[in-house]
């Protein structure tokens, strides 16, 4: 059985599973690390940072970023990666609806 010369295979493996993966399997593929930071635009990064600050401000208004409460313990399944996904999706939705980049006023609307 021959394989088509144009055949491509992309395999996604979570970082935590690499340690337990079978080495012969891993050696068959070219490996690249891909994180949300690699695919985020500057605008979606700004939304992520502002959203995180807003959440931290809710949890510890007097301490800001240095609060003792972890937001991922208060909001179920809320991780940095989840907030990054929300930032990217909200920015994409805003641009698709408005057809324009962020202004200062629209930035505040997306974060809230």
């Amino acid at each position: 059985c021959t394989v088509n010369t144009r055949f491509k295979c992309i395999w996604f493996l979570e970082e935590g599973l690499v340690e337990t993966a079978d080495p012969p399997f891993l050696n068959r593929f070219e490996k690249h690390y891909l994180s949300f930071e690699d695919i985020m635009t500057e605008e979606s990064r700004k939304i992520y940072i502002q959203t995180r600050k807003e959440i931290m401000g809710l949890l510890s208004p007097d301490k800001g970023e240095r609060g003792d409460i972890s937001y991922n313990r208060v909001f179920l399944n809320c991780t940095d990666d989840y907030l990054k996904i929300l930032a990217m999706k909200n920015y994409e939705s805003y641009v698709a609806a408005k057809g324009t980049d962020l202004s200062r006023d629209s930035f505040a609307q997306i974060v809230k």
Side-chain angles (χ1 to χ4, degrees):
C1 176
T2 61
V3 177
N4 189 319
T5 56
R6 296 185 304 170
F7 174 76
K8 304 250 185 215
C9 178
I10 298 174
W11 190 269
F12 291 98
L13 189 62
E14 289 185 32
E15 186 176 15
L17 299 176
V18 172
E19 296 287 326
T20 60
D22 189 28
F25 171 77
L26 290 177
N27 288 337
R28 294 178 186 190
F29 299 98
E30 187 175 318
K31 291 160 258 341
H32 298 276
Y33 179 78
L34 180 66
S35 68
F36 285 110
E37 288 81 14
D38 296 331
I39 58 175
M40 289 179 79
T41 63
E42 186 62 34
E43 291 82 5
S44 60
R45 258 189 215 97
K46 289 176 185 176
I47 293 170
Y48 159 71
I49 291 167
Q50 188 61 34
T51 302
R52 191 172 186 283
K53 284 181 183 179
E54 293 283 337
I55 290 173
M56 294 303 292
L58 290 173
L59 298 177
S60 53
D62 296 335
K63 297 180 182 179
E65 286 285 330
R66 298 182 181 187
D68 296 326
I69 302 172
S70 172
Y71 65 86
N72 56 4
R73 291 182 182 228
V74 175
F75 300 108
L76 185 62
N77 293 328
C78 185
T79 63
D80 280 335
D81 285 346
Y82 183 71
L83 292 178
K84 290 171 187 172
I85 291 169
L86 287 177
M88 289 187 294
K89 285 292 188 186
N90 284 334
Y91 177 69
E92 289 169 8
S93 298
Y94 175 81
V95 171
K98 303 285 185 180
T100 181
D101 281 338
L102 291 172
S103 68
R104 205 165 250 235
D105 296 331
S106 60
F107 179 77
Q109 290 173 355
I110 291 174
V111 171
K112 302 242 180 201

